[in-house]
Amino acid sequence: MTKKIKRIGVMTSGGDAPGMNAAIRAVVRACAYYHIDCVGFMKGFQGMIDGDYVELNARSVRNIINLGGTILKSARSEEFRTKEGREKAAKHLKKAEVDVMILIGGDGTFKGGQIFSAEHNIPIIGVPGTIDNDIFGTHYTIGYDTALNTVIDAVDKIRDTASSHNRLFFVEVMGRDAGFIALNSGIGAGAEEILIPEEDLGLDRLLNSLERSRRSGKTSSIVVVSEGDKIGKNVFELADYVKENLPYYDAKVTVLGHIQRGGSPTCFDRVLASRLCVKAVELALDGQQDIMVGMLNNEVQAIELNKTLQSKPTINKDLLRISDILSV
Ligand code: F6P
């Protein structure tokens, strides 16, 4: 017989993402709706190790749906990588009488959670929260849409000055291992070229494309570069390389960095977070564990954590073709 769930724990871990507060709110409110207790652990796994948690009720999460960041704070805990650290966390969870932990984060969070759950028989449910959108088993992660809109907004502004000064801009966006942000913001911002980790198009192609653009009458251009792209040069070296080979280009670099992780979540991210987290609580009550909730074809679905961790989502290569056509 499955154990009756009386108390759910929630935490946010890894890189923060806009919409994490909407997710916390949805977990807490769903718990209140179903008359179960909810506690929030501070600073991800570290809060579990330190027994640092707060009781949360429906009113504790008022006025946070619109806020970026995470009221529970986030961290990457080195101590949780050790057996001793995980033992301390299990001790505190048992003392706090937590029946299920809902982990909001990325694949690093899920990996840690899975090891922990197997060692200590504490059920966990994952909710994908990362701006990178690089989790298998969901078409969207919480924070991705907001980050895309932040990038678009920034690149639109860069375009104004690029066009006034006839300049070429390399704009570096986040995505250490995945090109989703670069690819989609690149198309949305009308970039000339998009460089992503999944596809090394090579330096020659970049030079040819920029040369072709100039000949076709373009006076300014934008290249969106994912921080993890595999072209073999960082974004500053890349700009220098282009200046050396195509001296008529006045090339500049903008690294957008962590502004992509902040800001008020878009409506899309708020709704996504709300839907995923209500389902996470309902599945927990249903006795399910070691799963992640994801959004597939606009339906919330559960997938085994094992499966999400074994694969990576693939980029849609057709988007590169679209970008090529549109940058003619
Ligand atoms: O949240 C994911 C991510 O944004 C990556 O794209 C990036 O490389 C990384 O986080 C940087 O995070 P931090 O500076 O917190 O280590």
Side-chain angles (χ1 to χ4, degrees):
M1 207 183 85
T2 37
K3 186 179 165 201
K4 188 163 169 15
I5 305 296
K6 292 202 209 105
R7 205 162 157 85
I8 286 181
V10 59
M11 58 84 130
T12 48
S13 172
D16 62 346
M20 279 184 164
N21 278 326
I24 295 165
R25 171 184 179 270
V27 170
V28 175
R29 294 260 166 106
C31 285
Y33 180 86
Y34 288 111
H35 306 293
I36 47 171
D37 293 340
C38 186
V39 291
F41 284 83
M42 305 302 295
K43 293 195 228 122
F45 291 126
Q46 199 55 46
M48 286 162 51
I49 293 171
D50 299 337
D52 183 7
Y53 66 89
V54 284
E55 306 277 340
L56 296 169
N57 62 42
R59 296 289 77 76
S60 330
V61 289
R62 62 158 70 104
N63 296 334
I64 66 165
I65 192 167
N66 53 322
L67 301 181
T70 155
I71 59 162
L72 294 178
K73 314 270 181 183
S74 193
R76 296 187 170 96
S77 167
E78 280 307 312
E79 201 181 347
F80 197 76
R81 291 178 194 274
T82 67
K83 216 169 170 18
E84 295 72 34
R86 294 191 294 274
E87 269 162 17
K88 282 191 209 163
K91 207 176 78 200
H92 282 122
L93 253 56
K94 283 177 186 154
K95 203 165 150 214
E97 297 183 348
V98 170
D99 298 312
V100 182
M101 270 308 293
I102 294 185
L103 312 180
I104 304 166
D107 57 356
T109 304
F110 299 158
K111 262 178 221 150
Q114 197 188 34
I115 296 169
F116 177 71
S117 166
E119 278 174 356
H120 297 285
N121 194 25
I122 295 178
I124 58 159
I125 294 188
V127 177
T130 161
I131 64 164
D132 291 345
N133 207 39
D134 59 347
I135 309 277
F136 184 81
T138 187
H139 288 147
Y140 300 103
T141 58
I142 297 166
Y144 171 58
D145 184 66
T146 307
L148 281 182
N149 282 288
T150 299
V151 174
I152 290 286
D153 192 45
V155 178
D156 286 352
K157 288 175 177 143
I158 290 168
R159 177 181 289 281
D160 291 344
T161 179
S163 131
S164 303
H165 287 267
N166 289 349
R167 279 175 170 157
L168 162 68
F169 268 84
F170 288 90
V171 182
E172 186 190 273
V173 299
M174 275 190 168
R176 198 169 24 203
D177 307 307
F180 292 98
I181 295 180
L183 193 51
N184 285 279
S185 68
I187 290 182
E192 196 61 43
E193 282 288 324
I194 303 170
L195 308 182
I196 53 174
E198 293 85 347
E199 190 91 355
D200 178 7
L201 298 173
L203 289 164
D204 287 347
R205 181 205 139 92
L206 178 66
L207 293 182
N208 290 338
S209 160
L210 292 171
E211 171 61 10
R212 213 175 32 246
S213 295
R214 192 186 68 102
R215 271 195 270 112
S216 77
K218 286 191 189 179
T219 52
S220 66
S221 288
I222 289 174
V223 176
V224 172
V225 185
S226 184
E227 65 177 324
D229 87 279
K230 298 284 185 291
I231 209 156
K233 294 187 185 296
N234 71 38
V235 70
F236 293 98
E237 293 166 349
L238 201 56
D240 287 343
Y241 179 81
V242 168
K243 277 193 262 187
E244 273 161 32
N245 288 277
L246 306 174
Y248 42 82
Y249 266 118
D250 183 10
K252 298 280 174 190
V253 172
T254 302
V255 176
L256 295 185
H258 288 75
I259 66 161
Q260 295 162 91
R261 293 237 296 253
S264 181
T266 56
C267 182
F268 182 91
D269 274 329
R270 298 180 199 193
V271 175
L272 177 69
S274 302
R275 291 180 67 188
L276 292 181
C277 288
V278 167
K279 189 68 167 183
V281 170
E282 289 175 342
L283 291 173
L285 293 178
D286 194 36
Q288 302 217 29
Q289 61 184 75
D290 298 339
I291 50 166
M292 181 195 82
V293 285
M295 186 66 74
L296 293 172
N297 301 321
N298 202 27
E299 268 186 42
V300 184
Q301 301 191 16
I303 170 168
E304 282 167 38
L305 263 188
N306 244 340
K307 287 200 179 140
T308 68
L309 291 173
Q310 273 163 17
S311 309
K312 278 279 161 204
T314 46
I315 55 147
N316 179 354
K317 292 217 171 140
D318 197 45
L319 292 179
L320 285 172
R321 191 182 68 87
I322 303 286
S323 165
D324 255 5
I325 292 174
L326 298 179
S327 58
V328 66

